[in-house]
Amino acid sequence: MDSLKLLAGIEPLQDIVLDATLVREMQCAAGTTDDGIDFYTPSFKSYATSEIASCGKSAWPAVSITGPDCKLQCDHCKGRILASMIPARTPEELWRVANQQIEHGARGMLLTGGSNHRNEVEYDPYYSTIRQIKDAFPEFRIALHTALVDRDMAQRMEDSGIDAAMMDVIGAQETITQVYHLKRSVDDFERTLENLVATRLKVVPHIVLGLHYGHILGERVALEMLRRHQPSAVVLVVVMPFYAPAHRPFGVPDSLEVGRFFLDARLALPDIPLLLGCARPAGQAKAEIDAYALMAGLNGIAHPADGMVELAARLGRKARIASVCCSVAVGGEMVAESRLWAKSGALSIPA
Amino acid sequence: MNMALVRGCNFPDDLYYNVDDNVWARRESDGTVIVGMTTYGCALSGEIVAWTAKKVGRAVDQNKSTGTVESGKWVGPVKAPVSGEIIAVNEAAVALPSTINTDPYGAGWLVRMKPSDWIGESGLLLSGQAAAEAFEAKMQTEGFPGCA
């Protein structure tokens, strides 16, 4: 059945506008994709729609080793993304936070922090504590945002016992210089990817679509890098324009361009799990982006827009829901941590 | 305007509250109802970055979603305090969602509704001292430190 006609029957999606030509191309390519779709609801953001009930438990918090502080002050963030995370500014505090979160039901955490001027997060004082956490709670998953690393740093991350390594891959020098205010090169990002993939870590790089003030610029170069290095999975996110300061505004990336990139990425990486991560614009743009992601054959979506569970069902894709970070829950682990959803007329799903 | 102050959060006496869902309703002289978020709800969500309302003309049942509010740490529905038709959306709050935080009972209103059974359904809402006591109990249960 025509995917656009399906949308018209789903109340939360009735107002979105999708490009018929791109949707047709996605339908033609759909034969190459897996028929399941995983929805993730990591609890660093309280989340509820008419389809997925809010999960009160802190199953997947985000922790920053620098609190809101970041030397880079990139134009799209200015440290505000870190500000909503749990601060753990010392190794002792990290140990305490991890124990508290586990006591409150956490099954893992995103561990990150602000960068120094070289786009490195200074984890060195924390590695022994991370190891201690993993030794004490081996089932507790840690997804680490690596930023840029050399071979030694990648090795120390592996030795600490983390479960997944995440980094943003940037493919345009203009974006590195202007948005990140960084004196590093595109090659530095590729070398980081290479260094991480050389370890035994599960490496889950991210591409931030629209990172150049809302425009697509280096994303396809980044995609080529990923094709060369074949990571464990790839997360696509879309820049959130609302954290940018008024004097350097970001536009909302065009949904059609984002959808086109989803299809290109799906075709370029047919054997690698491809996921839509937590970050993206809000409102109607989010609904359009999510619908394109589903139709393009992405394997998972974090914090899906209202109506996505029903759209997945109508497209014949089996939906599974898990309250974990998509960067960790790739592959077979998802099955144990999720519940299979089958539409039976009920619109509310306990998460 | 008289208002209760509970842990630093203000709750005007002339509004009707659904305490569980942190929304308020104000009945206008023409019988329509303005709906918005409480100061408590705004404090919990943090700086709101998007307000996506359902379309004007949509009928919404009591306790069902009139739209979605999103902040850096929260995405969720704003539930209708009473059943009715959405007859207006606050486009100013759509354009500048932080208005919801800065003036939740004024310029940060969310939708205007034409209620279908105000008399029957408003009895389930609380106002005045009863609302203040219910919010205090909710804050106690949730360990809420207070509005900044």
Side-chain angles (χ1 to χ4, degrees):
Chain A
M1 186 179 177
D2 187 330
S3 301
L4 288 177
K5 286 184 182 162
L6 290 178
L7 288 174
I10 301 171
E11 199 249 338
L13 303 179
Q14 283 170 353
D15 299 331
I16 69 172
V17 180
L18 300 186
D19 181 80
T21 304
L22 180 58
V23 169
R24 268 196 303 276
E25 285 180 52
M26 288 174 168
Q27 279 184 295
C28 291
T32 63
T33 63
D34 180 77
D35 70 346
I37 178 86
D38 297 331
F39 294 118
Y40 306 96
T41 61
S43 64
F44 55 79
K45 192 164 193 167
S46 175
Y47 166 87
T49 67
S50 69
E51 299 176 313
I52 301 175
S54 177
C55 177
K57 293 175 185 172
S58 301
W60 191 270
V63 177
S64 167
I65 64 164
T66 63
D69 298 337
C70 180
K71 294 284 198 312
L72 281 186
Q73 293 297 302
C74 303
D75 285 344
H76 66 296
C77 170
K78 297 289 182 190
R80 291 171 70 188
I81 295 173
L82 294 172
S84 62
M85 299 181 180
I86 301 169
R89 292 169 173 275
T90 64
E92 295 74 24
E93 198 177 347
L94 178 61
W95 172 251
R96 195 163 53 246
V97 165
N99 277 270
Q100 282 170 350
Q101 294 301 314
I102 290 165
E103 199 173 306
H104 289 106
R107 289 186 288 165
M109 67 176 169
L110 165 66
L111 186 58
T112 186
S115 298
N116 61 21
H117 289 295
R118 291 177 48 77
N119 194 21
E120 296 159 348
V121 181
E122 296 176 355
Y123 288 113
D124 274 351
Y126 293 85
Y127 287 129
S128 61
T129 304
I130 295 169
R131 182 75 261 173
Q132 191 182 355
I133 294 167
K134 286 299 298 180
D135 288 343
F137 310 102
E139 298 304 315
F140 184 74
R141 311 286 179 78
I142 299 177
L144 188 85
H145 172 237
T146 69
L148 294 181
V149 298
D150 58 24
R151 192 165 286 250
D152 290 343
M153 293 160 80
Q155 187 58 52
R156 288 198 289 279
M157 288 174 179
E158 180 185 347
D159 294 342
S160 74
I162 61 165
D163 296 276
M166 305 179 298
M167 64 166 291
D168 293 342
V169 181
I170 304 178
Q173 189 60 50
E174 300 96 310
T175 306
I176 295 170
T177 306
Q178 295 170 30
V179 178
Y180 272 50
H181 315 137
L182 191 60
K183 291 176 182 162
R184 301 292 292 261
S185 66
V186 172
D187 286 346
D188 288 331
F189 283 83
E190 180 153 16
R191 267 194 293 277
T192 289
L193 185 59
E194 188 177 25
N195 292 331
L196 290 169
V197 170
T199 68
R200 286 172 296 179
L201 284 167
K202 178 186 285 183
V203 181
V204 187
H206 293 35
I207 299 178
V208 185
L209 278 69
L211 189 54
H212 199 82
Y213 302 103
H215 303 291
I216 302 289
L217 185 62
E219 286 79 349
R220 285 182 169 77
V221 174
L223 186 59
E224 277 306 305
M225 284 191 234
L226 299 179
R227 188 148 71 162
R228 281 195 287 275
H229 295 284
Q230 296 286 304
S232 311
V234 170
V235 173
L236 305 176
V237 293
V238 185
V239 78
M240 297 185 289
F242 29 76
Y243 291 130
H247 66 280
R248 301 297 306 260
F250 274 63
V252 176
D254 180 62
S255 301
L256 175 57
E257 278 196 83
V258 170
R260 169 70 57 193
F261 187 86
F262 288 163
L263 182 57
D264 292 348
R266 178 70 291 169
L267 296 172
L269 306 170
D271 302 320
I272 293 180
L274 192 56
L275 310 155
L276 180 58
C278 300
R280 51 205 189 274
Q284 182 167 325
K286 177 176 177 176
E288 291 171 357
I289 288 166
D290 289 13
Y292 277 133
L294 248 175
M295 293 177 183
L298 269 62
N299 305 88
I301 300 177
H303 293 147
D306 204 6
M308 287 305 130
V309 177
E310 185 169 352
L311 178 59
R314 292 189 182 208
L315 288 170
R317 300 187 68 183
K318 291 177 187 136
R320 300 179 297 179
I321 300 167
S323 56
V324 292
C325 173
C326 64
S327 294
V328 164
V330 289
E333 297 156 4
M334 183 76 189
V335 176
E337 294 182 343
S338 66
R339 58 189 67 194
L340 187 67
W341 184 75
K343 185 162 176 66
S344 57
L347 280 177
S348 182
I349 301 164
Chain B
M1 183 198 307
N2 292 326
M3 63 177 68
L5 197 63
V6 183
R7 299 195 185 197
C9 307
N10 60 330
F11 298 97
D13 287 345
D14 63 332
L15 304 182
Y16 293 81
Y17 297 93
N18 177 328
V19 174
D20 285 344
D21 294 327
N22 262 316
V23 292
W24 56 264
R26 183 175 62 231
R27 190 150 197 238
E28 303 287 89
S29 56
D30 62 0
T32 63
V33 170
I34 304 286
V35 175
M37 284 175 67
T38 66
T39 47
Y40 180 23
C42 290
L44 288 174
S45 63
E47 184 183 342
I48 293 166
V49 296
W51 160 234
T52 311
K54 291 194 171 175
K55 267 194 165 179
V56 167
R58 288 272 163 81
V60 180
D61 290 339
Q62 188 176 34
N63 299 326
K64 296 296 182 185
S65 175
T66 62
T68 302
V69 158
E70 179 163 358
S71 72
K73 57 183 179 181
W74 190 73
V75 182
V78 174
K79 295 184 179 176
V82 291
S83 305
E85 177 190 341
I86 296 175
I87 57 171
V89 171
N90 184 359
E91 296 298 341
V94 173
L96 188 62
S98 59
T99 309
I100 301 165
N101 296 94
T102 54
D103 191 9
Y105 301 120
W109 64 276
L110 299 175
V111 292
R112 182 189 288 267
M113 299 180 71
K114 183 179 177 185
S116 54
D117 181 18
W118 171 262
I119 292 172
E121 292 182 338
S122 62
L124 298 171
L125 306 175
L126 297 178
S127 59
Q129 186 59 29
E133 288 171 6
F135 276 116
E136 170 59 40
K138 180 178 169 70
M139 292 174 184
Q140 175 74 29
T141 303
E142 295 176 355
F144 178 66
C147 290

